[in-house]
Amino acid sequence: MKNEPWDGVTHETTGMKKPFAEVIKANIGDAHAMGQQPITFFRQVLALCSYPELLSDSTFPDDAKSRACRILNSCGGNSMGSYSPSQGIGSVRQDVARYVERRDGGVPCDPDNIYLTTGASDGIVTMLKLLVCGEGTMRTGVMISIPQYPLYSAALAELGAVQINYYLNEEKCWSLDITELQRALDEARLYCNPRALCIINPGNPTGQVQSRECIEDVIRFAAKERLFLMADEVYQDNVYAEGCQFHSFKKVLFEMGPEYSETVELASFHSTSKCYMGECGFRGGYMEIINMDDDVKAQLNKLLSVRLCPPVPGQALMDLVVNPPQPGEPSYERFIKERTATLSTLAEKAKLTEQVLNTVQGISCNPVQGAMYSFPSITIPEKAIKEATDIGQEPDMFYCMKMLEETGICLVPGSGFGQKEGTYHFRMTILPPTDKLKVLLNKVQEFHLKFNQQYS
């Protein structure tokens, strides 16, 4: 074989050359796969817990060692290889409860209402299992936002529940409108029994951060309509836009007074997979339940016992997230430096993504207020729409596949998340390193112009 210069990706089986040097996967919120670095303290403690012989190693700071010992002392046989209680390790649930109290300005949190989970997804699916019942027009209906994170639609389909779509308002930065919630609910009551309302805040795939006023309106709506609230808050540290702030549903609920705080049923979810941690593979998370009937809670405990327990390393990591190094401890300065740098970089990339995409004629991108994604709308020429239809593809899938083949940029079509009829979008993560993100955005810009010229 001649030593010829290689100018693209070669297909392993056909030898087909592509006009790009690498595939840039901007399709999934996998932070570490995109180059985000782990928090040193978290990995040190997990290493010590996994291999306790390292506790005698002088290279590990004392606070990491003491934290590891505390976690190990809470494990059966002082080993992370042992089962934990189904609800999760008691000391970790206590730490989560203290974290929630600090986050919410002193609103009490009972560790008995904390359930450690295999990522947030496990908790969400578990709650849906608990809620879904009935047949025919009495089948459980669950309200989910459109665009939505496909976990919800997939879980509802698997459980035989009815998916009730309510649409976010793209013209108002993907805000949530109570009038739209009421429309969706009233229509759904003709063919199912709506029992739950799911909110993702900050949003995935849309990257919006809901205002406190919006959250209050949602709580009033849920109370009036007797709906179980599910608050997916896994991106709570990922808030970037000026004037935006994360408000937990629990905090707002309790600040609205006993009329709501003693009656509205709520489950909220958090995870180790997002925010500044990005530790997707450890599958750590928790859910907190509020105002759940004791008999229903007993059934929840029984349902969770079937899985034995969530992964203990993930529980340990969750403990470190809610109880990180404190001022005066050896690891504190490095932890704050790493955490701040990660979140600052994400904020810069969120702004960069919005700015560049909005320079392209035919692409419109709302501010990326939070989370890790943008969800811009795109114009697709009629000729391209017809060609996509002829081959049985959604137009934005056709667009994204063309982009992948020609640029190596992997995005997700908006049709995978749901969107208003006649509109087209794609979701892309802002996670790639800044230099690679700039390359990605430039390629998207060039491709979109070329695509529209080709099909105009």
Side-chain angles (χ1 to χ4, degrees), residues 255-295:
E255 289 178 351
M256 290 173 69
E259 178 186 356
Y260 299 100
S261 63
E262 294 179 2
T263 60
V264 174
E265 295 175 287
L266 169 69
S268 59
F269 308 90
H270 195 18
S271 167
T272 63
S273 300
K274 308 302 177 183
C275 300
Y276 64 94
M277 302 85 71
E279 295 279 14
C280 302
F282 277 98
R283 310 310 300 137
Y286 75 80
M287 65 178 176
E288 181 183 12
I289 57 171
I290 304 294
N291 293 324
M292 180 175 282
D293 180 89
D294 287 342
D295 289 339

Side-chain angles (χ1 to χ4, degrees), residues 167 308 336 439:
Y167 289 86
L308 296 179
I336 291 297
V439 171

Side-chain angles (χ1 to χ4, degrees), residues 144-149 165-178 180-181 183 197-210 214 218 366 375 417-420 423 425:
I144 66 172
S145 60
I146 300 296
Q148 57 102 17
Y149 178 50
N165 295 337
Y166 66 88
Y167 289 86
L168 300 176
N169 189 335
E170 184 171 10
E171 288 69 35
K172 294 184 179 179
C173 205
W174 299 111
S175 62
L176 194 161
D177 185 87
I178 297 300
E180 169 61 11
L181 283 181
R183 176 207 64 78
L197 168 59
C198 300
I199 310 287
I200 307 175
N201 180 52
N204 176 11
T206 45
Q208 87 287 356
V209 179
Q210 302 295 2
C214 171
V218 168
N366 271 314
F375 196 72
F417 301 92
Q419 55 197 347
K420 283 189 175 180
T423 68
H425 301 79

Side-chain angles (χ1 to χ4, degrees), residues 349-396:
K349 292 191 286 191
K351 190 65 177 176
L352 174 67
T353 300
E354 174 199 347
Q355 288 175 339
V356 174
L357 291 178
N358 279 327
T359 65
V360 185
Q361 186 175 0
I363 297 182
S364 177
C365 183
N366 271 314
V368 183
Q369 296 176 328
M372 297 176 171
Y373 316 97
S374 65
F375 196 72
S377 65
I378 53 176
T379 57
I380 298 181
E382 287 298 323
K383 186 178 175 183
I385 293 173
K386 183 180 184 306
E387 187 170 328
T389 303
D390 289 345
I391 62 173
Q393 280 187 347
E394 292 288 343
D396 47 12

Side-chain angles (χ1 to χ4, degrees), residues 194-366:
R195 299 185 69 194
L197 168 59
C198 300
I199 310 287
I200 307 175
N201 180 52
N204 176 11
T206 45
Q208 87 287 356
V209 179
Q210 302 295 2
S211 68
R212 181 191 172 90
E213 180 184 8
C214 171
I215 293 171
E216 289 179 356
D217 288 343
V218 168
I219 290 171
R220 291 190 191 97
F221 177 81
K224 176 173 72 78
E225 302 295 348
R226 296 181 60 82
L227 295 170
F228 189 102
L229 264 177
M230 295 176 61
D232 182 339
E233 298 175 331
V234 303
Y235 296 100
Q236 58 190 256
D237 289 327
N238 297 111
V239 177
Y240 317 119
E242 188 175 346
C244 289
Q245 181 181 348
F246 169 74
H247 301 278
S248 79
F249 266 79
K250 182 190 176 184
K251 183 174 190 288
V252 175
L253 176 68
F254 275 77
E255 289 178 351
M256 290 173 69
E259 178 186 356
Y260 299 100
S261 63
E262 294 179 2
T263 60
V264 174
E265 295 175 287
L266 169 69
S268 59
F269 308 90
H270 195 18
S271 167
T272 63
S273 300
K274 308 302 177 183
C275 300
Y276 64 94
M277 302 85 71
E279 295 279 14
C280 302
F282 277 98
R283 310 310 300 137
Y286 75 80
M287 65 178 176
E288 181 183 12
I289 57 171
I290 304 294
N291 293 324
M292 180 175 282
D293 180 89
D294 287 342
D295 289 339
V296 177
K297 190 174 179 181
Q299 294 303 313
L300 173 61
N301 292 336
K302 188 182 296 185
L303 182 62
L304 288 172
S305 69
V306 174
R307 62 161 196 196
L308 296 179
C309 70
V312 173
Q315 296 185 51
L317 179 60
M318 190 79 254
D319 187 70
L320 302 175
V321 170
V322 299
N323 187 21
Q326 300 301 305
E329 292 185 331
S331 301
Y332 178 74
E333 288 188 11
R334 182 172 185 176
F335 167 76
I336 291 297
K337 182 179 179 181
E338 292 176 348
R339 180 185 187 276
T340 302
T342 297
L343 291 174
S344 297
T345 300
L346 286 169
E348 292 167 3
K349 292 191 286 191
K351 190 65 177 176
L352 174 67
T353 300
E354 174 199 347
Q355 288 175 339
V356 174
L357 291 178
N358 279 327
T359 65
V360 185
Q361 186 175 0
I363 297 182
S364 177
C365 183
N366 271 314

Side-chain angles (χ1 to χ4, degrees), residues 18-20 401-409 443 447 450-451 454:
K18 297 292 184 182
F20 46 83
M401 289 302 295
K402 285 279 188 183
M403 185 183 297
L404 178 60
E405 287 290 333
E406 295 180 20
T407 69
I409 304 298
K443 286 191 173 188
F447 169 82
K450 180 182 174 183
F451 181 86
Q454 180 182 352

Side-chain angles (χ1 to χ4, degrees), residues 425-438:
H425 301 79
F426 62 76
R427 188 192 80 164
M428 61 163 282
T429 178
I430 63 171
L431 287 172
T434 302
D435 56 347
K436 191 168 288 189
L437 181 62
K438 289 178 179 178

